Amino acid sequence: DTGVSQDPRHKITKRGQNVTFRCDPISEHNRLYWYRQTLGQGPEFLTYFQNEAQLEKSRLLSDRFSAERPKGSFSTLEIQRTEQGDSAMYLCASSLEGTGPDTQYFGPGTRLTVL
Amino acid sequence: DQQVKQNSPSLSVQEGRISILNCDYTNSMFDYFLWYKKYPAEGPTFLISISSIKDKNEDGRFTVFLNKSAKHLSLHIVPSQPGDSAVYFCAASAGGNKLVFGAGTILRVKS
């Protein structure tokens, strides 16, 4: 399967702990996006990369959140000192520059539960 | 502020009939609109899109209509099938990068 993959699929942590999620995009895609989806809402944009450069960050991305894409391939999203409000589905998507917004392919997501 | 709104949380339709899902937006800078479908435990899957220069786009059983003056778009599914039961998200883009999503509409197609 050559789609977007995310790991882990589920993560349960205690408040105050740090968590890290990984996203592997479709291999030829140079754009990578992170979204967050809470219960009853649609996905909300967090940040996106073009190659290894982080080009935009939402104000939703507080100081406790950091995302990296060190070699322009996979990306990690780290949440420090987790809070119960961080409980959500974290979605990753990828696309190829210049192909338009409808070519964002989403992964299955990582469901985070903060106790 | 919610720039993309789906005011119907759920919709129930009989198999074979038409499903109409609605979406309203407020940002005049949006130039591309998309519909995504989502099954439980999966990520959203792209369904159909429309550019702001068009008022209709059709793909098989799926048609999206755009009314720019009313800032309204709709997705028509004809005929509806039980496999269409899912959450449908309306999304919009201004400039081709990040997507702004509505809250979703749960569609149930009864057989």
Side-chain angles (χ1 to χ4, degrees), chain B residues 86-105:
Chain B
V87 180
Y88 288 79
F89 290 103
C90 172
S93 170
N97 294 318
K98 67 183 181 185
L99 299 177
V100 180
F101 285 84
T105 296

Side-chain angles (χ1 to χ4, degrees), chain B residues 48-60:
Chain B
I48 191 169
S49 62
I50 188 167
S51 164
S52 60
I53 63 173
K54 296 185 176 181
D55 55 18
K56 178 182 175 182
N57 188 27
E58 196 170 352
D59 183 1

Side-chain angles (χ1 to χ4, degrees), chain A residues 102, chain B residues 32-35 46-67 72-78:
Chain A
D102 55 347
Chain B
Y32 213 85
F33 303 89
L34 309 90
W35 286 93
F46 169 72
L47 196 57
I48 191 169
S49 62
I50 188 167
S51 164
S52 60
I53 63 173
K54 296 185 176 181
D55 55 18
K56 178 182 175 182
N57 188 27
E58 196 170 352
D59 183 1
R61 297 186 297 114
F62 303 92
T63 303
V64 57
F65 295 92
L66 175 63
N67 182 333
H72 177 83
L73 65 155
S74 60
L75 174 67
H76 293 208
I77 306 173
V78 183

Side-chain angles (χ1 to χ4, degrees), chain A residues 9 31 35 37 42 56 104 107, chain B residues 34 41 43 89 97-99 102:
Chain A
R9 295 290 306 274
R31 285 187 174 172
Y35 292 82
Q37 184 180 10
E56 187 172 351
Q104 284 190 36
Chain B
L34 309 90
F89 290 103
N97 294 318
K98 67 183 181 185
L99 299 177

